């Protein structure tokens, strides 16, 4: 089967980055999927700054920005891993998404959220709206991680690892289904 490129977009620059443990676990599991290429993109490494111009309006765009946009252009879909801040998504994530447009279009987004008791459910709802604004689609399966500060460490989930692995497999399967369907539809268009 043709390969899929499914980058993982991490949603925050805030220290001490408890949710990065979730992003790394997602990346590690996604890397094990056959026919999938992936890598983690961290807004801390991307010199976007607050939105002044979108990438295609910059003259010239910084090399790191162009390189990022090129990678998004060749992607077949995305996994966003983000914490919830005050019932919403972090500004860093919204800012990153707003700098790009065409490269998100008609591609699937899988959402993984982390938070306190709610597991970031409200951030996920907000992100669904934002993804629609980008002309992209959200896959139905969503993964949410409650009490991220206590439930994950550097090795991933501290408890019920097999449950998290199974949930992610279902999530990846859904994302890959949409990625292949939309890849074929874009190729036909
Ligand atoms: C500014 C701020 C707002 C927060 N708001 C929420 C919230 O609305 N819902 C929630 O479940 N957790 C909230 N939290 C808790 C975070 O989800 C939790 O601290 C988590 O560790 C954040 O991930 P991070 O360490 O990668 O930033 C908030 C944390 C911060 C710093």
């Amino acid at each position: 089967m043709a390969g899929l490129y499914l980058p993982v977009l991490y949603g925050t620059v805030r220290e001490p980055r408890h949710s990065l443990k979730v992003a790394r676990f997602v990346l590690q599991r996604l890397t094990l999927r056959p026919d999938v290429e992936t890598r983690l993109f961290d807004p801390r490494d991307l010199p976007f700054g607050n939105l002044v111009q979108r990438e295609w309006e910059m003259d010239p765009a910084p090399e790191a920005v162009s390189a990022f946009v090129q990678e998004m252009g060749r992607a077949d879909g995305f996994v966003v891993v983000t914490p919830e801040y005050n019932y919403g998504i972090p500004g860093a994530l919204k800012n990153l998404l707003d700098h790009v447009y065409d490269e998100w279009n008609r591609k699937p987004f899988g959402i993984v959220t982390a938070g306190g008791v709610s597991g970031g459910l409200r951030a996920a709802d907000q992100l669904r709206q934002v993804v629609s604004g980008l002309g992209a689609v959200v896959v139905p399966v969503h993964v949410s991680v409650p009490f991220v500060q206590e439930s994950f460490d550097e090795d991933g989930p501290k408890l019920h690892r097999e449950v998290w692995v199974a949930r992610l497999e279902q999530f990846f399967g859904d994302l890959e289904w949409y990625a292949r369907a939309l890849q074929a539809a874009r190729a036909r268009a």
Side-chain angles (χ1 to χ4, degrees):
M1 215 183 290
L4 292 174
Y5 180 37
L6 302 172
V8 177
L9 309 177
Y10 179 52
T12 185
V13 293
R14 190 187 88 100
E15 297 288 344
R17 323 192 100 204
H18 291 289
S19 55
L20 188 58
K21 296 167 200 159
V22 177
R24 290 201 173 122
F25 183 64
V26 167
L27 181 77
Q28 183 204 97
R29 298 305 312 178
L30 186 55
T31 305
L32 298 175
R33 299 280 295 183
D35 307 317
V36 171
E37 175 194 351
T38 186
R39 60 178 275 204
L40 183 72
F41 288 91
D42 184 337
R44 200 174 59 174
D45 305 328
L46 298 167
F48 280 114
N50 281 334
L51 181 67
V52 176
Q53 290 176 311
R54 292 170 291 182
E55 181 267 343
W56 66 93
E57 296 162 336
M58 296 173 181
D59 187 22
E63 211 176 299
V65 168
S66 302
F68 171 75
V69 171
Q70 215 169 3
E71 288 293 287
M72 297 306 104
R74 80 177 184 87
D76 300 296
F78 312 94
V79 179
V80 177
V81 182
T82 184
E84 175 172 298
Y85 296 154
N86 297 321
Y87 292 14
I89 60 173
L93 174 60
K94 182 68 164 58
N95 190 54
L96 183 154
L97 293 171
D98 288 341
H99 274 86
V100 182
Y101 188 75
D102 285 350
E103 289 75 8
W104 308 132
N105 243 229
R106 296 179 171 174
K107 293 180 185 174
F109 277 69
I111 299 176
V112 179
T113 55
V117 65
S118 75
L121 294 178
R122 292 156 299 206
D125 282 345
Q126 202 184 64
L127 190 52
R128 284 189 187 97
Q129 291 187 26
V130 172
V131 168
S132 294
L134 301 172
V137 296
V138 176
V139 301
V141 177
H142 156 235
V143 177
S144 87
V145 178
F147 302 115
V148 64
Q149 299 196 13
E150 297 84 29
S151 59
F152 270 62
D153 64 17
E154 300 305 333
D155 295 325
K158 289 191 197 168
L159 290 174
H160 310 302
R161 191 181 180 89
E162 66 292 346
V163 176
W164 286 107
V165 167
R167 182 71 179 152
L168 282 179
E169 288 302 300
Q170 187 193 12
F171 171 74
F172 294 148
D174 211 26
L175 175 63
E176 288 168 29
W177 190 95
Y178 280 92
R180 289 197 190 286
L182 292 172
Q183 188 188 53
R186 285 196 309 276
R188 277 196 306 272

